[in-house]
Amino acid sequence: MRAFAALPLFAALALAGCGLRPMYADGASGTVATTLRSVEVAPIAGQTGWLVYNDLKERLGGAPAGAGATLRLEVELDDNITGLGIRGDRSATRERRTLRARYRLLDLATGAVVLDATAGSDAGIDVVSSPYATVAAEQTAVERLSEVVADQIVARVGLFAARRPATP
């Protein structure tokens, strides 16, 4: 029984020695947090783009256009709904909504692309006899997908900031 009690202590000591460090270790004044706040998000076309844009702005706490921004995030979305589970009358009983984003992080001083990556997620939607319920389910799905994609983008930009060499 004592061996099991010492296990968490041993694990904590082993992790401390391996060089792992939390990404947001220095809090609001740390490199990652200040880099995220210096990101200006370019407008994204469409209703789904508006959702992703707002989610990104909320998560980044970013600078408004031209106000202290050193990086610019440009996002292109691909929002797709595919019918699955086809009935005998050729109507779908299930849909898959897929949201993919290609994003680029540009250094505003040089215009260079410092990060070029993709993010994406998908959700299943039941198609029911009520068109209103189906549309509501599709809307709810895109709202959740926009949050997931924004989280993925912010995590990747944060990782970029953590690995970026410090500038004097």
Side-chain angles (χ1 to χ4, degrees):
M1 191 63 163
R2 281 189 192 167
F4 290 117
L7 190 59
L9 178 61
F10 176 73
L13 290 174
L15 283 177
C18 75
L20 287 178
R21 185 168 182 259
M23 199 161 69
Y24 297 101
D26 298 326
S29 63
T31 305
V32 174
T34 55
T35 300
L36 292 179
R37 282 195 307 270
S38 72
V39 175
E40 168 189 312
V41 181
I44 308 168
Q47 178 189 13
T48 306
W50 180 80
L51 291 168
V52 172
Y53 174 83
N54 286 335
D55 289 334
L56 286 169
K57 292 290 283 182
E58 178 183 317
R59 284 156 177 75
L60 291 170
T70 59
L71 299 166
R72 179 178 174 91
L73 183 64
E74 296 179 349
V75 181
E76 297 170 10
L77 296 177
D78 180 24
D79 184 12
N80 191 15
I81 298 178
T82 306
L84 306 169
I86 308 299
R87 290 188 197 133
D89 64 355
R90 296 185 185 216
S91 61
T93 59
R94 188 113 172 109
E95 293 176 339
R96 170 183 254 156
R97 185 158 201 164
T98 306
L99 182 61
R100 301 280 180 252
R102 177 171 183 212
Y103 57 96
R104 288 174 294 283
L105 190 63
L106 290 90
D107 184 334
L108 290 176
T110 64
V113 176
V114 294
L115 177 64
D116 188 349
T118 60
S121 190
D122 59 1
I125 302 165
D126 286 327
V127 177
V128 294
S129 60
S130 167
Y132 174 78
T134 301
V135 169
E138 290 171 353
Q139 184 62 32
T140 301
V142 79
E143 289 169 5
R144 303 257 308 132
L145 291 173
S146 69
E147 292 172 1
V148 170
V149 167
D151 286 342
Q152 290 175 4
I153 292 171
V154 170
R156 182 62 181 95
V157 171
L159 186 61
F160 162 79
R163 292 180 175 171
R164 185 164 100 171
T167 55

